[in-house]
Amino acid sequence: YGGFEISMLPYYSGAVGAAWSEIGGVKVIANIRGGGEYGPTWHQAALKAKRHKAYEDVEAVAQDLIARRITCTPKLAVIGGSNGGLMVGNMLTRPVASALFGAAVCQVPLLDMKVYSKLLAGASWMAEYGDPDTEDWKHMRAFSAYHVLRHDCLGLPEPPEDTAKGESRPGAWRCPKVLFTTSTRDDRVHPGHARKMVRALQEEAKKEAAPVVYYWENVEGGHGGAADNKQKATMWALTYSFLAQELGLSSA
């Protein structure tokens, strides 16, 4: 998860078994910095200006899986929601990460870190990420996936008043195949994050740079993306069907 001192521990999931393991998929839980798996110092290691450490950890896990031949780039996907959705957004746009993954699922994500603190519950997370209306923006710009996409990956001009700029690299970037999921009634992370990211990928990126971009928004449900078990089943069926199709597994 890589944030808020939340631990991602091994657990049993019948749904993962039926929808993924039985068709030959492997699931890996990455205990990256920013989480709580190894105590407060593990969390503090990826706070604010050190946020990139969490994303470097995901890249390292992906590289290790490939090196050990557990998988390969065309069959490797990354999935995460909320703060984990921000992580996935960075995996889509970072130079190293975007070349490691064949597919991605970005769920109820934070993506535009310039405005996150003004939307819904965002102001309560500034101790984790920083305040974009202060000098913090200089480090936040580097992990604001929406800004990295438009200005670094696509080379679109930045507002002249924005002094925190990245490194433009248009033409050298290709987006993994991606599915975005969100909820109209999310009361924590505004669905506008996912909407504007998808718009940029579909309308501003060239087709060869972002060849497969899917978007699903449930009109009900909160931050979990579903209002009841039927909707939850639909959401996960879409997710695993997308992964099976794009990674070349045979969906049941």
Side-chain angles (χ1 to χ4, degrees):
Y1 190 67
F4 298 92
E5 206 170 334
I6 293 174
S7 298
M8 296 291 288
L9 302 175
Y11 64 96
Y12 172 79
S13 171
V16 172
W20 191 241
S21 300
E22 287 187 2
I23 63 171
V26 175
K27 180 175 181 178
V28 175
I29 298 175
N31 294 150
I32 61 177
R33 281 172 285 187
E37 292 86 359
Y38 302 103
T41 56
W42 193 245
H43 171 228
Q44 293 160 10
L47 281 177
K48 293 186 175 180
K50 296 179 284 187
R51 200 82 198 164
H52 62 282
K53 296 296 183 182
Y55 308 139
E56 290 173 358
D57 286 354
V58 181
E59 291 170 343
V61 171
Q63 289 168 330
D64 184 61
L65 292 171
I66 293 169
R68 293 163 63 186
R69 298 188 178 183
I70 293 172
T71 188
C72 57
T73 290
K75 292 187 178 294
L76 179 60
V78 61
I79 183 170
S82 192
N83 172 73
L86 176 60
M87 176 274 292
V88 173
N90 276 268
M91 295 303 100
L92 296 175
T93 54
R94 285 170 61 91
V96 172
S98 59
L100 288 172
F101 294 98
V105 179
C106 192
Q107 303 167 313
V108 291
L110 283 160
L111 295 166
D112 184 346
M113 301 308 290
K114 186 65 174 177
V115 301
Y116 88 100
S117 58
K118 299 177 176 65
L119 300 172
L120 301 177
S124 64
W125 306 326
M126 287 195 287
E128 185 80 14
Y129 303 117
D131 182 347
D133 295 325
T134 68
E135 289 296 304
D136 287 348
W137 177 242
K138 289 182 179 179
H139 72 255
M140 295 178 69
R141 164 63 173 79
F143 64 82
S144 181
Y146 179 67
H147 290 81
V148 176
L149 168 65
R150 298 189 75 244
H151 307 308
D152 299 357
C153 299
L154 303 182
L156 298 173
E158 301 196 49
E161 68 275 10
D162 193 347
T163 58
K165 300 183 186 298
E167 181 181 348
S168 180
R169 42 186 164 83
W173 168 83
R174 189 175 186 275
C175 185
K177 302 167 186 176
V178 60
L179 167 66
F180 290 85
T181 67
T182 189
S183 168
T184 307
R185 298 186 181 181
D186 192 329
D187 57 357
R188 281 188 269 175
V189 177
H190 198 286
H193 286 276
R195 292 169 183 166
K196 67 197 303 184
M197 190 77 164
V198 170
R199 178 191 173 277
L201 287 167
Q202 292 185 337
E203 298 182 12
E204 295 178 321
K206 294 180 179 179
K207 186 66 175 177
E208 57 267 27
V212 178
V213 181
Y214 291 114
Y215 179 73
W216 183 75
E217 180 173 329
N218 187 11
V219 297
E220 297 182 304
H223 192 49
D228 52 37
N229 285 338
K230 183 177 180 180
Q231 292 181 6
K232 186 176 182 180
T234 297
M235 178 180 69
W236 283 108
L238 284 171
T239 298
Y240 284 116
S241 293
F242 163 78
L243 291 173
Q245 173 181 298
E246 301 303 336
L247 299 182
L249 295 178
S250 298
S251 181

